[in-house]
Amino acid sequence: MERQKTMQDMQQEVDRYISQFKEGYFSPLSMLARMTEEVGELAREINHYYGEKPKKKDEAEKTVEEELGDVLFIVICFANSLGIDLQEAFDRIMHKFNTRDKDRWTRIEENKQNG
């Protein structure tokens, strides 16, 4: 059974891929533009599958999974280009959600006890 990739593994894999090319990582502003483009493509797919806008008959078949993968790739590129460890960033964000926002939403256990 193959070991699951860690975020560090993914960041290293993307870095190895990008390092093959003379151009390297794009500038932060270009990276943000790329990210915006990819999120727009994800929005389009979500609208096709869950919204009121069906695909055109001649439109290429893409999936939400594929578009989320594109967003993840550009997020990793962005982080790598700025020297950000995404695992550390994720851990800090989860700490924030588990402390500052811990009482913001209705917990499932509370809902079952009161229902």
Side-chain angles (χ1 to χ4, degrees):
M1 185 170 150
E2 190 175 330
R3 176 181 74 83
Q4 291 282 322
K5 290 181 184 176
T6 65
M7 184 57 72
Q8 185 179 39
D9 293 336
M10 289 187 273
Q11 284 192 255
Q12 289 172 352
E13 185 174 345
V14 168
D15 196 58
R16 282 190 302 273
Y17 173 77
I18 296 294
S19 295
Q20 302 175 83
F21 308 108
K22 290 180 183 179
E23 295 82 0
Y25 291 105
F26 296 149
S27 70
L29 199 53
S30 292
M31 203 74 73
L32 183 59
R34 287 272 329 270
M35 184 182 298
T36 302
E37 179 184 347
E38 295 299 345
V39 170
E41 291 175 14
L42 173 61
R44 184 176 180 87
E45 287 305 305
I46 293 292
N47 200 19
H48 288 318
Y49 286 101
Y50 304 104
E52 287 71 41
K53 185 179 177 188
K55 281 188 180 278
K56 297 175 187 170
K57 288 183 180 17
D58 62 343
E59 200 165 355
E61 188 62 37
K62 291 189 176 180
T63 64
V64 171
E65 179 181 10
E66 181 181 348
E67 296 304 337
L68 278 170
D70 287 345
V71 170
L72 178 59
F73 178 80
I74 195 65
V75 166
I76 292 171
C77 285
F78 209 162
N80 284 357
S81 74
L82 298 173
I84 294 170
D85 180 322
L86 283 172
Q87 183 64 55
E88 287 179 15
F90 177 80
D91 290 344
R92 282 195 304 276
I93 293 304
M94 287 309 298
H95 176 74
K96 178 178 77 173
F97 282 119
N98 286 317
T99 55
R100 184 193 75 186
D101 293 342
K102 67 181 170 60
D103 297 322
R104 187 173 189 176
W105 311 106
T106 305
R107 294 192 181 272
I108 292 172
E109 304 86 54
E110 292 175 17
N111 202 14
K112 285 180 182 176
Q113 290 173 358
N114 294 333

